[in-house]
């Protein structure tokens, strides 16, 4: 049933350098050999991970079916796996040879530079490609830390976007700061607070075999920007047995910091707190914040020392009803910081995170709020829409794929 | 050392880098004809954009497969099963169209999915023998001997594995069929004629066999589900890649699992369901070791042209379906702008916003218990019996078949209060494993579904306004699938008071849509919190 696709009819080969067989011809090159100069590192002693451009020199030799040097003239493609190419993807080869630099960044783990025959850059050249592909020996780069993965100028992506992420945690102090219904948050204590060192891990169902304060020794998964918050989906994680680290104190946010998106981004998924928080008096029926609250449960916060408006999410603190405290100071608010397309939101972990838990008197249902189910899941609360884009549907499971977890016969 | 030529045409590739391409489909679920739906945020992230419907369709998949084959050297197309069930074309043609079209697009091999048995093992055998030209794989199924007069013949048709020769490169492909959902299959004959074998026994044997035959690569095409794929990739040495399905997840990029015995890094590829995506993985292999891989997921939307040959075949079926069923007949209207603002919606959803009850679930369950002649106190149906949302706009017969493809019928039975508690506890248990997304929809019942992984259970159960009484008796309407123990509903399976009505649930739902005309309406096809999720 298999088809020898490398063999094409002679007529199709009129413009192609081919080696002939009986009634078919072989498109050459059959093999591409690629070598790389310089240090390769090793799994035990890898080269540094780099979010900036790295340049490596490679040499290319094309071979024919018999393993002899093949005088190929044409374009070949270059890619880096895993990693991101920082140059044009085409190189021009003459007489079967090429030597030059390849620029890339964000390579991690065993990385190889690919050179393949996928046709000429000018798709009208008429040359039939062989799809032969060769790779360099593995260049071993270190797996990135949480900070190295997260730290990037563009807040709507991360260094490993599009990659299966294997994070460097075994020799770090990566602690579970909070567990929610569909995932958990971690912070790498080996880095200072505010240095992009926290991450949300989305596990779909409530995570098991993990506890608050657990130290992770393995953490892998797919990176995803969910409503502008970086998360790891389809995670594999292992906690060190019988080890519980102290969960760091909430990082105090100042008003000044709330106006600096870059500083705030560095705190994404970190446990934070604000002192002297109040609910602004313009949080009234008909306002956009009010509508968002009705839909998503998020409410505005003003800080005592000024700064920019941030938001609270108290779906896990069902005793607290913000509509009853408009214009009032509510004291300290703490929780996990996340971004939803430009809005910074503190997601409370429970009653104690709002006003020190002093809202017992609010225990009856907020009459202004549409009934929803309390949940610590972050999946319920996208804002109405990103400015300038189409409205979002109000609820989307934050699955990284079109998951039904289905197939259970019916 | 340079390679030498070994035979007439194939090169000796020892010591050289070889690129091998796998095209992948999975869980097609009969979506051979394009269909409308509202892509999720996740779909969007994977490249399936809003506003580019209709989506899916075998004509488009055929185009992508042909294009990608032309842009690859050594290439195989593997399918991870469940091509049957999910659209009206299956109800009418029983799998013929799926088998025929997969053959026409040049599929190399497919593993058997659990839904391939939906009309019985004999139907699978009949359709495959009539139309299938690809290899049908299932290493972990031991089929009844074909010598038995009642045997289906699948023993002769299904292979444990197959070897593909790709210009000097040999790929061994092992099929691993579904296990986790086989307990969900009940068959009219009370037997599928299948003995399921342990993966830990089967895989080493097949790997050894393939290695003895000199393959360069061992690939498992699986319908076991993502969890099992990951677990087997982690524990069984000698597998180079898993290409899986069953859970309807598209994962881009693929996962990488490190085998705990060999340290080998094993890609685990899943390309989703309902003809929304085609996956392509490119490997570079040297001396049997995957050195590196790359992946691309192609969304199937209206921007993808149809393959003309496939389209011709599809049109035969489409025209016949239209003649027989008038599939585009309008039954009602969903989510109109004239609705009360409180009722406005973008679609009729099969999942609830908070994981509990849903618009379509409530509608179906209420329709079941209220249907003349049924008229039970309570109803419960499995959420996954509803397979798709119904988009805003005209509700056509085609929409209904896409949403409710199963030919399930209503069954009634008497349950004690204690059994109702057990039933809902089981719902909580199954739901907790699935992100606290309720696995059942109900009528006449409200309850708290407590998704505590250590103690999932139902509490505060109220039946038509009255708290559940343990020693009281309640009459339940449900579907024949779970009444027979499908999806593990043992409390229903063991019940001895069952009556099977042969009234199709889809017909009941259609009647209700025609009755109401526009959905939702106050108290109809709305989420009302009857299943309250508690974490």
């Amino acid at each position: 049933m298999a088809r020898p696709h490398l063999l094409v009819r002679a007529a199709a080969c009129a413009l192609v350098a081919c080696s002939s067989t009986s009634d078919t011809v072989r498109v050459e090159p059959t093999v591409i050999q690629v070598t790389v100069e310089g240090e390769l590192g090793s799994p035990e002693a890898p080269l540094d991970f780099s979010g900036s451009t790295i340049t490596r020199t490679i040499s290319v030799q094309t071979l024919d079916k018999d393993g002899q040097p093949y005088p190929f003239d044409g374009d070949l493609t270059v890619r880096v796996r895993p990693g991101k190419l920082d140059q044009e993807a085409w190189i021009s080869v003459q007489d079967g040879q090429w030597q030059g630099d390849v620029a890339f960044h964000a390579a991690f783990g065993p990385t190889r530079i690919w050179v393949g025959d996928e046709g000429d850059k000018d798709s009208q050249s008429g040359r039939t490609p062989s799809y032969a592909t060769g790779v360099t020996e593995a260049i071993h780069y270190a797996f990135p830390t949480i900070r190295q993965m997260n730290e990037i100028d563009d807040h709507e992506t991360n260094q490993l976007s599009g990659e299966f992420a294997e994070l460097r945690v075994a020799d770090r102090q990566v602690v579970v700061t909070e567990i929610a219904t569909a995932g958990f948050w971690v912070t790498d204590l080996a880095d200072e607070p505010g240095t992009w060192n926290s991450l949300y891990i989305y596990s779909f169902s409530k995570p098991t075999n993990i506890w608050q304060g657990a130290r992770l020794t393995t953490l892998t998964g797919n990176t995803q920007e969910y409503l502008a918050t970086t998360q790891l989906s389809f995670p594999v994680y292992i906690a060190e047995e019988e080890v519980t680290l102290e969960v760091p104190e909430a990082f105090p946010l100042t008003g000044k910091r709330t106006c600096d998106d870059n500083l705030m981004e560095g705190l994404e998924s970190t446990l934070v707190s604000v002192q002297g928080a109040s609910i602004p008096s313009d949080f009234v029926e008909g306002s956009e914040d009010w509508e968002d609250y009705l839909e998503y449960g998020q409410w505005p916060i003003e800080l005592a020392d000024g700064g920019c408006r941030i938001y609270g999410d108290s779906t896990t603190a069902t005793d607290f009803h913000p509509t009853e405290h408009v214009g009032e100071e509510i004291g300290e608010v703490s929780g996990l910081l996340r971004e939803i397309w430009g809005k910074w939101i503190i997601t409370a972990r429970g009653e104690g995170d709002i006003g020190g838990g002093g809202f017992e008197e609010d225990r009856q249902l907020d009459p202004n709020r549409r009934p929803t189910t309390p949940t610590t899941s972050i999946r319920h609360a996208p804002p109405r829409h990103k400015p300038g884009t189409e409205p979002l549907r109000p609820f989307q499971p934050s699955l990284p794929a079109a998951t039904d977890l289905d197939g259970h016969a019916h | 050392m340079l390679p030498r030529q070994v035979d007439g045409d194939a090169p000796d590739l020892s010591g050289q880098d070889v690129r091998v391409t796998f095209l992948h489909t999975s869980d097609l679920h009969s979506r051979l004809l394009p269909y409308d739906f509202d892509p999720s945020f996740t779909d969007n992230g994977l490249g399936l954009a809003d506003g580019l419907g209709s989506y899916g369709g075998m004509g488009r998949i055929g185009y992508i497969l042909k294009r990608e084959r032309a842009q690859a050297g050594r290439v195989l197309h593997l399918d991870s099963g469940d091509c049957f069930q999910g659209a009206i074309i299956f109800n009418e043609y029983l799998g013929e169209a799926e088998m025929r079209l997969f053959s026409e697009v040049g599929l190399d091999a497919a593993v058997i999915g659990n839904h391939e048995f939906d009309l019985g093992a004999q139907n699978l055998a009949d359709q495959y023998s009539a139309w299938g030209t690809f290899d049908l794989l299932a290493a972990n199924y031991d089929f009844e001997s074909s010598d038995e007069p009642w045997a289906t013949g699948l023993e002769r048709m299904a292979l444990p594995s197959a070897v593909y020769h790709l210009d000097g490169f040999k790929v061994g492909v092992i099929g691993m069929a579904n296990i986790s959902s086989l307990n969900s299959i009940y068959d009219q004959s009370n037997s599928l004629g299948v003995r399921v074998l342990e993966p830990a026994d089967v895989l080493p044997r097949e790997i050894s066999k393939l290695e003895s035959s000199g393959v360069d690569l061992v690939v498992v095409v699986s319908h076991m589900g993502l969890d099992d794929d990951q677990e087997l990739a982690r524990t069984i040495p000698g597998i180079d890649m898993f290409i899986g399905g069953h859970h309807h997840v598209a994962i881009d990029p693929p996962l990488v699992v490190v085998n705990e015995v060999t340290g080998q890094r094993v890609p685990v590829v899943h390309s989703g369901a309902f003809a929304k995506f085609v996956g392509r993985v490119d490997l570079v292999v040297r001396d049997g070791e995957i050195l590196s891989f790359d992946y691309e997921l192609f969304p199937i939307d209206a921007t993808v042209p149809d393959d003309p040959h496939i389209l011709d075949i599809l049109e035969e079926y489409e025209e016949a379906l239209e003649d027989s069923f008038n599939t585009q007949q309008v039954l009602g209207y969903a989510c109109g702008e004239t609705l009360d603002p409180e009722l406005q919606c973008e679609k009729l959803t099969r999942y609830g916003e908070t994981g509990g009850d849903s618009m379509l679930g409530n509608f179906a369950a209420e329709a079941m218990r209220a249907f003349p002649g049924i008229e039970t106190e309570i109803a419960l149906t499995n959420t996954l019996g509803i397979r798709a949302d119904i988009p805003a706009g005209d509700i056509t017969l085609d929409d209904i078949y896409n949403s409710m493809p199963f030919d399930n019928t209503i069954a009634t039975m008497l349950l004690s209060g204690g059994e109702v508690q057990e039933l809902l506890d089981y719902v909580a248990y199954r739901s907790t494993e699935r992100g606290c997304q309720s696995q059942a929809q109900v009528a006449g019942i409200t309850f708290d579904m407590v998704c505590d992984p250590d103690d999932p259970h139902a509490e505060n159960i109220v039946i038509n306004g009255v708290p559940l009484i343990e020693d009281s008796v309640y009459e339940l309407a449900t579907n024949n699938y779970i009444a027979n123990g499908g999806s593990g509903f043992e409390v229903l399976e063991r019940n001895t008071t069952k009556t099977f009505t042969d009234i199709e649930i889809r017909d009941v739902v259609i009647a209700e849509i025609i009755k109401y005309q526009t959905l939702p309406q106050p108290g109809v096809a709305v989420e009302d919190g009857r299943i309250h999720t508690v974490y």
Side-chain angles (χ1 to χ4, degrees):
Chain A
M1 207 155 293
R3 301 161 184 79
H5 288 282
L6 299 188
L7 302 178
V8 296
R9 295 283 169 191
C13 208
L15 301 174
V16 186
C18 303
S19 60
S20 65
T21 59
S22 52
D23 65 335
T24 59
V25 291
R26 173 174 297 278
V27 179
E28 298 286 8
T30 297
V31 170
I32 298 175
Q33 290 183 331
V34 192
T35 55
V36 61
E37 295 179 7
E39 285 185 286
L40 296 179
S42 68
E44 298 75 26
L47 308 177
D48 290 341
F49 174 87
S50 177
S52 305
T53 299
I54 303 165
T55 300
R56 301 299 300 256
T57 303
I58 63 167
S59 299
V60 177
Q61 173 70 61
T62 59
L63 304 179
D64 67 13
K65 171 176 176 284
D66 299 322
Q68 299 302 313
Y70 179 75
F72 173 80
D73 290 330
D75 297 334
L76 300 178
T77 56
V78 177
R79 65 180 88 177
V80 179
R81 301 295 308 131
K84 293 180 168 55
L85 201 63
D86 289 336
Q87 63 170 60
E88 191 181 42
W90 302 87
I91 58 174
S92 187
V93 177
Q94 290 187 336
D95 202 24
Q97 294 184 326
W98 187 85
Q99 185 176 48
D101 291 342
V102 175
F104 58 93
H105 72 280
F108 61 95
T111 299
R112 295 176 194 264
I113 301 169
W114 293 38
V115 177
D117 176 15
E118 299 176 286
D120 289 329
K121 182 180 179 184
D122 175 9
S123 59
Q124 305 301 312
S125 73
R127 184 175 71 80
T128 301
S130 71
Y131 296 97
T133 299
V135 297
T136 62
E137 292 307 301
I139 313 167
H140 293 276
Y141 290 101
F143 293 106
T145 63
I146 291 172
R147 175 180 182 169
Q148 287 172 324
M149 184 191 95
N150 269 330
E151 191 166 11
I152 190 169
D153 290 339
D154 181 353
H155 296 176
E156 294 191 9
T157 186
N158 64 77
Q159 294 283 8
L160 303 191
S161 63
E163 303 282 7
F164 177 75
E166 296 169 82
L167 295 177
R168 179 180 162 192
V169 298
D171 64 344
R172 312 283 292 184
Q173 294 290 307
V174 176
V175 61
V176 175
T177 55
E178 174 66 1
I179 296 174
T181 55
F184 60 93
W185 284 267
V186 296
T187 293
D188 187 345
L189 301 179
D191 284 314
E192 292 297 313
T195 58
W196 316 70
N197 59 330
S198 297
L199 187 64
Y200 179 64
I201 316 299
Y202 175 64
S203 55
F204 184 57
S205 294
K206 190 163 187 176
T208 53
N209 299 320
I210 205 164
W211 56 96
Q212 197 177 43
R215 177 181 175 274
L216 298 187
T217 56
T218 296
L219 181 58
T220 68
N222 272 358
T223 65
Q224 186 185 29
E225 294 295 320
Y226 184 68
L227 307 176
T229 289
T230 306
Q231 65 180 28
L232 212 58
S233 59
F234 295 109
V236 172
Y237 51 87
I238 299 173
E240 188 172 9
E241 286 183 27
E242 298 178 4
V243 170
T244 301
L245 302 177
E246 193 169 334
V247 174
E249 292 287 316
F251 181 85
L253 279 183
T254 61
K256 186 178 177 186
R257 184 178 280 264
T258 60
C259 296
D260 187 327
D261 272 349
N262 206 44
L263 291 176
M264 293 292 276
E265 187 77 18
L267 285 166
E268 184 180 281
S269 295
T270 299
L271 183 58
V272 299
S273 67
V274 293
Q275 304 292 330
S278 59
I279 298 181
S281 53
D282 62 3
F283 180 48
V284 293
E285 196 164 357
S287 67
E288 185 177 342
D289 281 344
W290 184 275
E291 291 300 313
D292 278 351
Y293 169 67
L294 295 179
E295 197 75 36
Y296 308 117
Q298 299 155 1
W299 38 272
I301 294 174
E302 279 182 348
L303 276 62
D305 62 346
C308 294
R309 181 167 295 193
I310 60 174
Y311 293 82
D313 184 334
S314 55
T315 47
T316 58
T318 52
D319 288 351
F320 176 69
H321 303 296
T323 57
E324 297 173 5
H325 299 280
V326 174
E328 296 176 13
E329 182 177 327
I330 56 172
E332 180 178 344
V333 174
S334 54
L336 283 310
L337 185 69
R338 59 197 170 96
E339 182 190 10
I340 295 184
W341 285 333
K343 278 187 175 179
W344 289 101
I345 297 163
I346 298 177
T347 301
R349 295 165 296 174
E351 312 291 349
D353 274 351
I354 299 178
F359 291 95
E360 298 277 325
E361 70 276 14
D362 288 355
R363 201 169 280 281
Q364 74 282 3
L365 189 66
D366 186 343
N368 292 308
R369 180 83 194 282
R370 290 176 197 142
T372 59
T373 299
T375 169
T376 54
S377 169
I378 68 166
R379 63 188 183 174
H380 288 251
R384 180 131 305 163
H385 60 89
K386 182 181 180 181
T389 65
E390 62 180 351
L392 258 188
R393 287 173 297 286
F395 167 74
Q396 294 292 346
S398 59
L399 287 170
T403 303
D404 279 339
L405 282 180
D406 204 347
H408 298 277
H410 283 209
Chain B
M1 182 187 293
L2 294 174
R4 60 184 174 77
Q5 188 169 354
V6 288
D7 57 37
D9 287 321
D12 179 0
L13 297 168
S14 55
Q16 301 294 4
D17 295 353
V18 181
R19 182 167 175 173
V20 191
T21 301
F22 293 86
L23 302 174
H24 180 225
T25 49
S26 185
D27 296 274
L28 193 69
H29 283 297
S30 303
R31 298 305 178 97
L32 305 178
L33 298 169
Y35 61 98
D36 289 319
F37 89 114
D38 196 6
S40 68
F41 180 80
T42 301
D43 288 326
N44 294 160
L46 292 165
L48 201 70
D50 293 333
L52 296 182
S54 56
Y55 300 93
M58 203 61 170
R60 295 165 182 166
I61 286 178
Y63 171 86
I64 294 284
L65 291 169
K66 187 181 283 186
R67 184 190 71 191
E68 295 305 311
R69 275 189 184 279
Q71 294 177 6
R74 298 169 177 86
V75 60
L76 287 175
H77 171 201
L78 303 177
D79 181 80
S80 289
D82 270 5
C83 65
F84 282 5
Q85 189 73 271
I88 195 168
I89 201 165
F90 177 75
N91 302 72
E92 180 67 1
Y93 293 101
L94 317 179
E96 170 193 309
E98 291 84 347
M99 288 288 170
R100 182 180 174 192
L101 284 158
F102 258 150
S103 299
E104 292 288 342
V105 298
L107 175 65
D108 291 293
V111 69
I112 298 173
N114 49 299
H115 282 285
E116 265 72 88
F117 294 115
D118 276 5
L119 296 177
Q122 189 61 57
N123 180 64
L124 169 62
D126 292 346
Q127 299 300 343
Y128 177 71
S129 61
W131 299 101
T133 61
F134 49 89
D135 290 329
L136 194 62
L137 303 177
N140 54 334
Y141 284 176
D142 181 13
F143 292 100
E144 242 165 4
S145 167
S146 297
D147 295 336
E148 302 289 355
W150 55 81
T152 60
L154 283 171
E155 186 209 19
R156 287 193 307 269
M157 300 173 202
L159 307 169
S161 61
V163 176
Y164 300 90
H165 296 257
L166 304 176
D167 192 37
F169 190 90
K170 291 166 73 174
V171 180
V173 180
I174 302 170
M176 290 300 286
N178 183 262
I179 295 176
S180 60
S181 293
L182 277 187
N183 68 345
S184 300
I185 299 171
Y186 68 95
D187 189 42
Q188 290 83 348
S189 64
N190 199 32
S191 169
L192 293 173
V194 174
R195 189 166 66 94
V196 176
L197 308 176
E198 268 297 315
D201 296 334
V202 168
L203 279 168
R205 190 171 67 222
E206 284 303 317
I207 293 164
S208 176
K209 189 173 84 181
L210 291 171
E211 286 175 344
S212 299
S213 72
V215 300
D216 297 287
L217 202 66
V218 174
V219 173
V220 172
V221 58
S222 158
H223 195 74
M224 301 191 75
L226 182 61
D227 295 344
D228 285 347
D229 290 349
Q230 288 179 285
E231 178 66 10
L232 293 170
R234 187 175 66 82
T235 56
I236 307 287
I239 299 164
D240 295 298
M241 180 167 65
F242 269 84
I243 296 185
H246 183 56
H247 277 161
H248 297 186
V249 291
I251 307 175
D252 184 11
L255 307 183
V256 177
V257 176
V258 178
N259 184 271
E260 64 187 15
V261 179
T262 63
Q264 184 178 355
R265 299 160 63 81
V266 182
V268 177
V269 177
H270 280 236
S271 65
F274 300 117
K276 291 191 286 190
F277 300 101
V278 172
R280 169 178 172 147
V281 59
D282 285 277
L283 309 177
V284 179
V285 183
R286 186 189 302 160
D287 291 334
E289 179 190 357
I290 296 176
L291 301 180
S292 193
F293 74 92
D294 205 358
Y295 188 71
E296 193 164 4
L297 196 63
F298 302 106
I300 307 298
D301 58 31
T303 65
V304 179
D306 286 293
D307 178 86
H309 173 61
I310 301 300
L311 191 61
D312 283 347
I313 299 171
L314 276 172
E315 281 175 354
E316 292 174 27
Y317 290 105
E318 193 171 15
E319 287 167 11
L321 284 172
E322 191 56 35
D323 288 346
S324 302
F325 289 90
N326 187 13
T327 56
Q328 297 309 310
Q329 65 180 287
V330 177
L331 307 171
Y333 196 78
C335 304
E337 290 181 359
T338 56
L339 289 174
D340 182 310
E342 287 292 315
L343 294 173
Q344 284 191 0
C345 51
E346 295 180 354
K347 57 188 173 184
L348 302 178
T349 56
R350 64 178 180 139
Y351 287 129
E353 284 196 12
T354 61
D357 56 293
S358 72
M359 299 170 84
L360 285 174
N362 291 348
F363 185 68
E366 293 291 355
M368 287 165 66
R369 75 160 177 160
F371 195 72
I374 302 296
E375 296 158 319
T376 55
E377 295 166 276
I378 56 177
L380 181 143
T381 189
N382 58 321
T383 302
L384 291 179
I386 304 169
R387 302 297 272 195
D389 298 332
I390 293 179
D394 291 340
I395 304 172
T396 65
L397 186 66
D398 203 37
D399 291 329
I400 299 299
Y401 270 86
N402 285 343
S403 182
M404 305 187 72
F406 303 108
D407 296 330
N408 286 344
T409 56
I410 296 176
T412 61
M413 66 185 80
L414 298 173
L415 296 177
S416 70
E419 287 172 322
V420 172
Q421 176 76 55
E422 185 181 344
L423 175 65
L424 299 179
D425 284 346
Y426 180 68
V427 170
Y429 163 75
R430 278 181 67 83
S431 306
T432 300
E433 291 181 330
R434 294 163 175 80
C436 204
Q437 194 76 254
S438 181
Q439 298 299 298
Q441 300 294 321
V442 299
I445 305 173
T446 64
F447 70 105
D448 291 344
M449 186 172 73
V450 181
C451 293
D452 177 350
D454 298 324
D455 181 27
H457 65 280
E459 61 187 27
N460 298 325
I461 301 169
V462 174
I463 306 293
N464 294 317
V466 179
L468 181 74
I469 301 167
E470 187 175 358
D471 57 2
S472 187
V473 174
Y474 301 92
E475 191 176 15
L476 169 78
T478 187
N479 68 57
N480 61 326
Y481 163 66
I482 60 173
N484 280 311
S487 293
F489 280 87
E490 291 177 7
V491 64
L492 303 183
E493 183 181 25
R494 67 170 185 252
N495 191 285
T496 57
T497 67
K498 280 178 271 196
T499 300
F500 292 97
T501 67
D502 287 338
I503 299 170
E504 283 203 4
I505 295 171
R506 188 172 47 234
D507 291 341
V508 169
V509 167
I510 288 170
E512 285 291 279
I513 291 171
I514 291 170
K515 177 175 134 188
Y516 286 104
Q517 280 299 295
T518 299
L519 296 174
Q521 295 197 10
V524 180
V526 293
E527 285 180 49
D528 54 19
R530 64 184 70 181
I531 302 176
H532 180 236
T533 49
V534 178
Y535 294 89

